[in-house]
Amino acid sequence: MLDIVFILASVAFFAVAWAYALGCDRLMEGRQP
Amino acid sequence: MTVAAWGQLALFSALVLLTTKPLGLYMARVFEGEHRPLPRVLGPVERFLFRLSGVDPSVEQTWVGYTASVLAFSLFSMGVTYAILRLQHVLPLNPQRFGPVDPALAFNTSASFTTNTNWQSYGGESTMSYLSQMAGLAWHNFVSAAAGLGIAIALARGLTRRQAPDAPRTLGNFWADLIRATVYVLLPLSLLFALVLVSQGVIQNLSAYREVTTLEGAKQLVALGPVASQEAIKELGTNGGGFFNANSAHPFENPSPFTNLVELWLIFAIPAGLTYTYGRMARDSRQGWAILAAMAVLFLGGTGVAQRAESRPNQALASLALDHQAGNMEGKEVRFGTAASALFATVTTDASCGAVNSAHDSFNPLGGLVPLVNIQLGEVIFGGVGAGLYGMLIFVVLSVFIAGLMVGRTPEYLGKKIESPEMKLAMLYVLIFPLIILGFTAWASVTRWGTSSLSNAGPHGLSEMLYAFTSATGNNGSAFGGLNANTTSWNTVLALAMLGGRFLMIIPALAIAGSMVGKKVVPAGPGTFPTNGPLFTFLLVSVVLIVGALTFFPALSLGPIVEHFAGAAGKVY
């Protein structure tokens, strides 16, 4: 049971990190060439 | 400081300085050269791995693609390690017949080694099979360091590349960087220095533990194992996870003052060399030397404070009629003494390594303050393999921005303008670190799961918790001690701190690289602030210290600083 919790927690963390990366990419939309 | 302490410091510093340029040049050839070194020996290995993995090194990635690869690789490799640890009882190379690692500990350990932290809530010799040590942990020592190297090189490419405005905004290929860092840099050096360590008495075998009879006639079980092959990369990759619980205080990991010096050099070798690599990539080696000088100033300052603090007796023993010339020997190996222990503690926390040859918990309060501050400055004093350079480059961007504000000009670095998006990303990088450390420490200090694991009350107890979260978030991995972190709550929360401290900081760093790579380069003019001289080094050191001090001073004043003054007044914790 705990195995599933920790595997899901790992996947959730990396999903959050990916969303955060996409958020950072949005921050750069107004950049100058 | 004693003459011996000065001598050790001088010898160590000279060794690091002597190897900075050749190693930096070598790494510049590996990552940016047309012809990579040792083509007949390592070229076939590189090509084989490219074919095996289907990687085309000529296909470059944008920062988003590079980040996606880092995250995917890390998630996958973390999962593999978790599985190995949980299944070690049915896998081979387990002569001691250890059972499966507890789920929370396996989660903590797999996060720890994936993030190059190597925090250990376990004793290696009483928990891990040889397969777990080699395939689950030592393997990560290579690839997590290689990933860090790749990320630093990607940020360096973003800052230093000069390309046409319509050229693709790419930073290299993560998979190619990962393979090249492993094949050309980490594997050969680790092999060479594993042999050096074996020649000095570090063990390397797959035997079952041996029961021996001591001189007093007692029975003692002597733990054995493939130590040397893990020891070299432990320091070279600034990983720090010991094969044994005692880490580099164990005679099978670090038998003598000579191996101690070798291990110290291994910790700083790549981070120092990378500054020269960066200078080469910037086409101005003085850019790299300026960064190295800033790191050296911060390192020497910390070493001086730690050496001075540890050369004095423990405050609880100072009034006793003892010979105090050896300094504070509590928690230190006699074969190293206070000087080599204080130097090791400073180096290992400067460089986000985390290997230890003494118990930081037993340092005098100001001696223990130094490792804590070193990590809290962001692991930029040489720092982890790759992580130190990309961390310091964020502070470089911040310093250039502050200098621009002071003279009223748009800040620029290496001819590229630093604008609002880069500053927002740099601030994300700077703020996430203390947010995780202070937030989790505050939470732990007011909850039962946090305080029930402490061995000491008062400010020393706070230092133990603060150190644990600082070490985890800074991906250092050294333990202050005095804290039982092997509980489900501590293992889980520390794992989250380690993951956040690694990936939530890598992402803005790579985003800055992606933002800077395609920027137009403007020639330097009379108003350009030079970033390759002593004035910039001074500014960089000041910014690192001010950001660190402003962020962490309140917490430190409640921990080691108040403990120092309480000790002077006769109260110890």
Side-chain angles (χ1 to χ4, degrees), chain B residues 287-303:
Chain B
Q287 298 286 346
W289 289 122
I291 292 173
L292 184 81
M295 293 172 168
V297 167
L298 291 165
F299 159 65
L300 291 172
T303 305

Side-chain angles (χ1 to χ4, degrees), chain B residues 208-228:
Chain B
Y209 298 174
R210 191 168 300 166
E211 189 177 77
V212 297
T213 306
T214 68
L215 291 175
E216 295 163 324
K219 297 287 182 193
Q220 184 179 345
L221 193 63
V222 178
L224 304 171
V227 179

Side-chain angles (χ1 to χ4, degrees), chain B residues 34 46 179 192 528:
Chain B
E34 294 275 316
E46 179 198 33
I179 288 172
L192 178 67
T528 303

Side-chain angles (χ1 to χ4, degrees), chain A residues 3 10 13 17 20-21 25 32, chain B residues 63 82 86 419 432 504 507:
Chain A
D3 286 322
S10 307
F13 173 83
Y20 172 66
D25 199 42
Q32 301 295 312
Chain B
W63 90 266
Y82 184 86
R86 291 288 292 138
E419 293 167 297
I432 282 165
L504 301 187
I507 288 168

Side-chain angles (χ1 to χ4, degrees), chain B residues 99-182:
Chain B
V101 178
D102 171 78
L105 180 60
F107 176 58
N108 180 284
T109 307
S110 53
S112 174
F113 280 73
T114 302
T115 55
N116 197 252
T117 309
N118 294 28
W119 171 274
Q120 295 172 291
S121 292
Y122 60 90
E125 67 270 46
S126 56
T127 315
M128 298 293 172
S129 72
Y130 291 161
L131 187 80
S132 295
Q133 293 269 23
M134 292 189 292
L137 308 183
W139 177 67
H140 265 299
N141 287 356
F142 285 95
V143 294
S144 67
L149 256 176
I151 292 159
I153 295 294
L155 178 56
R157 288 179 186 130
L159 295 172
T160 60
R161 274 188 179 175
R162 296 173 184 178
Q163 57 186 50
D166 55 345
R169 292 166 171 255
T170 55
L171 299 173
N173 183 308
F174 169 73
W175 306 104
D177 289 341
L178 182 77
I179 288 172
R180 284 173 178 157
T182 307

Side-chain angles (χ1 to χ4, degrees), chain B residues 339-357:
Chain B
S341 301
L343 181 61
F344 203 106
T346 312
V347 169
T348 196
T349 48
D350 278 337
S352 128
C353 179
V356 292
N357 75 351

Side-chain angles (χ1 to χ4, degrees), chain B residues 183-267:
Chain B
V183 170
Y184 286 99
V185 182
L186 299 172
L187 272 173
L189 283 172
S190 296
L191 181 64
L192 178 67
F193 282 96
L195 293 174
V196 171
L197 291 174
V198 165
S199 76
Q200 297 301 308
V202 177
I203 61 169
Q204 179 74 18
N205 59 60
L206 294 172
S207 311
Y209 298 174
R210 191 168 300 166
E211 189 177 77
V212 297
T213 306
T214 68
L215 291 175
E216 295 163 324
K219 297 287 182 193
Q220 184 179 345
L221 193 63
V222 178
L224 304 171
V227 179
S229 55
Q230 190 161 323
E231 191 64 22
I233 187 62
K234 181 186 98 180
E235 272 91 18
L236 186 69
T238 60
N239 297 283
F243 192 94
F244 301 110
N245 195 28
N247 209 296
S248 281
H250 196 294
F252 285 171
E253 286 201 29
N254 190 9
S256 66
F258 174 71
T259 57
N260 198 59
L261 181 67
V262 170
E263 294 189 7
L264 283 168
W265 175 81
L266 283 170
I267 295 172

